[in-house]
């Protein structure tokens, strides 16, 4: 039994993995593998429809929004967002809260002017920049809801005079969000929603069609909406596993229920970090992430022996990102609180040994 | 036992499916699912390295070429090719041999001038256009090696004074190809190489860097080469299954051996179509595809009852594309000749019943 604290591709529910493995052999009693059926078959169309319906239901997506399952990850969205939303000669506002936000704004520069309205770069992104003005003539405001590398998370979304575009790759479906506040939400699936290879996009239809440039079919949200995420062959398996994971979430009681579980997990872990004299948290308290708990050893020499002890306890994926060091406990939806307890006990055992 | 003649996502080897299902539960004894391990883990990096090596080995890729596993399907390549290769104000040559070739050239129009040097549109693409001149000032010549919908296939690649770009989605690894003759080869995996969700690109390094436009990172071959197909999180599962399928092909004796098998399958099937008075082939004899055998019933009223009989025999995926009608037997690498024999016997039984 492993305790998977990896930052992503991250842990998925055991029952989802069992269903996915079975479908690779024989999908829904068709006698064929899920990997070798047509994406235009009634069987797969039902999967895609169910995945879209579950997103709408679990996230309470209002009418006037389209739900898409695309390829290319959030990194492709970094370019697709300005391709579709930033007019020639126009301007877009970005909040720089980490490396991924920085990558997003760099892509936007290919399409127009970028106004970095706030940044926490000077502190190596240990907090979420909050006080900023959004120019009323910006095409949109781009934010990142959770920053995996630094363990920071937006606890309150900014109000914006222009459409709000949000990269939710690392905390989608982990907490309640009012979708109506957003123009566009995107998320690579591989943390809270499914395996690598599919990207969720929720877009307000009426923010589209306002740029003049010609957009290749695959990079055009309008084409993808008209094709119902099947303009071309979609990533069948990744969508299926996402559908299973969303169904698992629904059975758990939905987003509201998982949010409670996630808060309990992060509270337990931060309490131990704050209490344990050998460790300290990376992010400022008010911006601490409930998805990625980043912490370091007070004594850098403790880093290796602690990771070794974790390894002995079956704890995997705890090493921090190289730009921060230390440890990162990713406690995504599918991670049971029992794994958090094992980590806490290991921290306590380590502190006891190193008094 | 089903006989899967589906056009794609198509049949995969049974042993590949078994290995893939097992990896979804416990990957290489890690105690973790393949779906929940880091793409930066040594375990996955070994998978990607092996997949790249197998492509190079099986296709005898010369030095000076890069092998990439990307997302977005061939449809994304339709745009990426001109994005990277067609200079502002420049011209590209396209052979229009089917709907997919047409889609490819439409995307190129966003980036420059398109010169359709040959088309078989007037005959609904029942043959491969052959007599054409390629302008020496074209940035590249784009061709499609196999046209799934019409069952036509290039039996000889044209010689070209400019870099040859080829969509090999539906016949990659089905026959020997001299990679050195090409500037760029691309293929969605979901016919001969793996599941939907990953696209192979083999690109000659020195044809890149000749356009001035700025290209977003994800759409830039150079970024993808520098990132070793891991500029961002790759489609882990789809790459793994492709690696397994390439290993299966290697164990079968490689491309040369499978080409012999494929020729035996197509010869048996075309012989029956030509012999059986109830059916006739769609494509002209010299351009017949060894991957997709398209045929129609001489009497259109036979179509439904024949499909019904096929269904009773466990033959699936035989219905032709709506733009051609009739039947399409896709006989990709993983389809055993025994399945072709079952189809032939079913055609004979049907002819016997309908004398």
């Amino acid at each position: 039994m492993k305790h998977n604290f990896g930052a992503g591709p991250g842990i998925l529910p055991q029952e989802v993995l069992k269903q996915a493995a079975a479908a690779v052999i024989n999908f829904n009693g068709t006698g064929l593998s899920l990997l070798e059926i047509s994406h235009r078959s009634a069987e797969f169309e039902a999967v895609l429809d169910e995945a879209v319906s579950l997103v709408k239901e679990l996230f309470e997506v209002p009418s006037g929004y389209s739900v898409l399952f695309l390829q290319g990850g959030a990194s492709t969205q970094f370019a697709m967002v300005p391709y579709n939303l930033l007019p020639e000669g126009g301007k877009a506002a970005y909040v720089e809260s980490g490396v991924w936000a920085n990558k997003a704004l760099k892509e936007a520069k290919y399409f127009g002017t970028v106004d970095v309205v706030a940044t926490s770069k000077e502190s190596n992104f240990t907090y979420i920049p909050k006080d900023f003005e959004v120019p009323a003539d910006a095409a949109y405001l781009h934010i990142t809801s959770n920053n995996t590398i630094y363990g920071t998370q937006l606890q309150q979304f900014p109000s914006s005079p222009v459409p709000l575009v949000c990269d939710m790759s690392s905390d989608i479906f982990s907490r309640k969000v009012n979708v109506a506040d957003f123009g566009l939400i995107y998320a690579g699936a591989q943390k809270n929603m499914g395996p690598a290879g599919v990207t969720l996009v929720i877009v307000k239809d009426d923010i589209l069609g306002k740029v003049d440039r010609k957009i290749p079919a695959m990079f055009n949200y309008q084409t993808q909406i008209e094709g119902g995420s099947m303009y071309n062959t979609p990533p069948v398996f990744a969508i299926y596993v996402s559908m299973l994971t969303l169904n698992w979430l629904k059975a758990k009681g939905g987003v509201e229920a998982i949010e409670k579980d996630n808060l309990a997990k992060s509270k337990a872990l931060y309490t131990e970090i704050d209490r344990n004299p050998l460790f300290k948290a990376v992010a400022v308290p008010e911006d601490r992430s409930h998805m990625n708990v980043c912490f370091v050893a007070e004594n850098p020499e403790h880093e290796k022996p602690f990771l070794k002890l974790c390894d002995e306890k079956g704890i995997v994926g705890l090493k921090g990102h190289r730009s921060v060091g230390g440890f990162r406990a990713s406690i995504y939806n599918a991670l049971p609180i029992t794994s958090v307890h094992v980590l806490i006990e290991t921290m306590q055992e380590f502190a006891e040994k190193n008094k």
Side-chain angles (χ1 to χ4, degrees), chain A:
Chain A
M1 173 64 189
K2 298 286 183 184
H3 305 285
N4 187 357
F5 289 90
I11 186 168
L12 288 171
Q14 282 299 314
E15 60 200 82
V16 165
L17 297 173
K18 277 181 198 151
Q19 289 170 279
V24 169
I25 299 296
N26 184 350
F27 174 57
N28 274 4
T30 54
L32 295 173
S33 166
L34 172 64
L35 308 186
E36 51 178 9
I37 62 162
S38 170
H39 58 291
R40 304 276 176 203
S41 62
E43 288 85 1
F44 181 70
E45 289 200 346
V47 168
L48 182 55
D49 287 349
E50 188 171 350
V52 170
S53 295
L54 282 162
V55 169
K56 288 183 176 172
E57 182 184 345
L58 290 165
F59 234 31
E60 296 175 39
V61 179
S63 65
Y65 284 77
S66 295
V67 172
L68 300 171
F69 286 91
L70 306 180
Q71 291 187 63
S75 295
T76 295
Q77 295 307 308
F78 295 168
M80 268 180 79
V81 163
Y83 219 145
N84 285 265
L85 300 180
L86 180 50
E88 304 283 348
K91 181 168 73 177
Y94 277 74
V95 175
E96 190 183 31
S97 58
V99 159
W100 298 107
N102 175 270
K103 287 197 178 192
L105 69 89
K106 275 186 182 157
E107 297 298 300
K109 286 181 181 169
Y110 294 124
F111 299 94
T113 302
V114 167
D115 186 348
V116 180
V117 293
T119 180
S120 49
K121 196 175 182 177
E122 83 292 345
S123 83
N124 199 27
F125 303 117
T126 52
Y127 69 95
I128 299 276
K130 284 170 215 82
D131 292 322
F132 52 82
E133 297 247 328
V134 182
D137 62 342
Y140 58 85
L141 169 65
H142 182 281
I143 55 172
T144 312
S145 62
N146 185 75
N147 302 281
T148 40
I149 296 177
Y150 322 94
T152 63
Q153 187 176 28
L154 264 172
Q155 301 308 333
Q156 204 170 359
F157 290 102
S159 66
S160 169
V162 298
L164 193 56
V165 174
C166 186
D167 177 357
M168 288 193 192
S169 292
S170 51
D171 67 354
I172 191 128
F173 298 121
S174 75
R175 56 172 171 174
K176 276 199 79 135
V177 159
N178 186 19
V179 174
D181 292 342
F182 296 84
L184 192 149
I185 292 167
Y186 63 88
Q190 66 269 16
K191 286 143 199 304
N192 267 325
M193 200 183 82
V198 68
T199 311
L200 175 67
V201 174
I202 303 172
V203 56
K204 196 174 184 187
D205 299 324
D206 70 10
I207 70 168
L208 299 175
K210 296 184 176 164
V211 300
D212 286 332
R213 77 171 62 84
K214 287 181 174 176
I215 308 169
M218 284 296 290
F219 311 149
N220 191 333
Y221 291 122
Q222 206 60 58
T223 323
Q224 299 286 5
I225 291 169
E226 284 158 18
S229 299
M230 295 235 275
Y231 173 76
N232 74 334
T233 311
V236 169
F237 180 77
I239 292 175
Y240 177 70
V241 180
S242 299
M243 183 275 279
L244 294 177
T245 309
L246 293 168
N247 255 324
W248 168 86
L249 178 56
K250 184 178 171 182
K252 290 273 283 187
V255 173
E256 212 159 336
I258 207 85
E259 183 170 12
K260 272 189 202 149
D261 292 354
N262 287 332
L263 288 174
K265 287 186 287 181
S266 71
K267 190 179 171 194
L269 192 47
Y270 283 118
T271 301
E272 175 61 22
I273 292 166
D274 290 340
R275 188 208 61 77
N276 194 314
L278 269 59
F279 300 103
K280 71 173 173 205
V282 169
V284 301
E286 67 270 23
D287 297 331
R288 286 175 172 181
S289 169
H290 302 293
M291 289 284 101
N292 310 94
V293 178
C294 295
F295 58 108
V296 293
E298 291 279 4
N299 176 354
E301 289 185 3
H302 282 156
E303 208 169 289
K304 276 192 179 168
F306 178 63
L307 283 173
K308 189 167 172 291
L309 183 64
C310 285
D311 189 57
E312 289 164 23
K313 305 286 182 182
I315 292 168
V316 298
L318 198 73
K319 201 172 190 305
H321 190 271
R322 62 185 179 282
S323 63
V324 173
F327 319 105
R328 169 170 55 178
S330 298
I331 52 176
Y332 297 126
N333 284 357
L335 186 92
I337 196 161
T338 47
S339 288
V340 174
H341 291 152
V342 170
L343 174 57
I344 290 170
E345 286 154 21
T346 306
M347 292 167 76
Q348 290 170 350
E349 183 181 325
F350 187 76
E352 193 61 34
K353 282 182 182 162
N354 291 278
K355 262 205 286 214

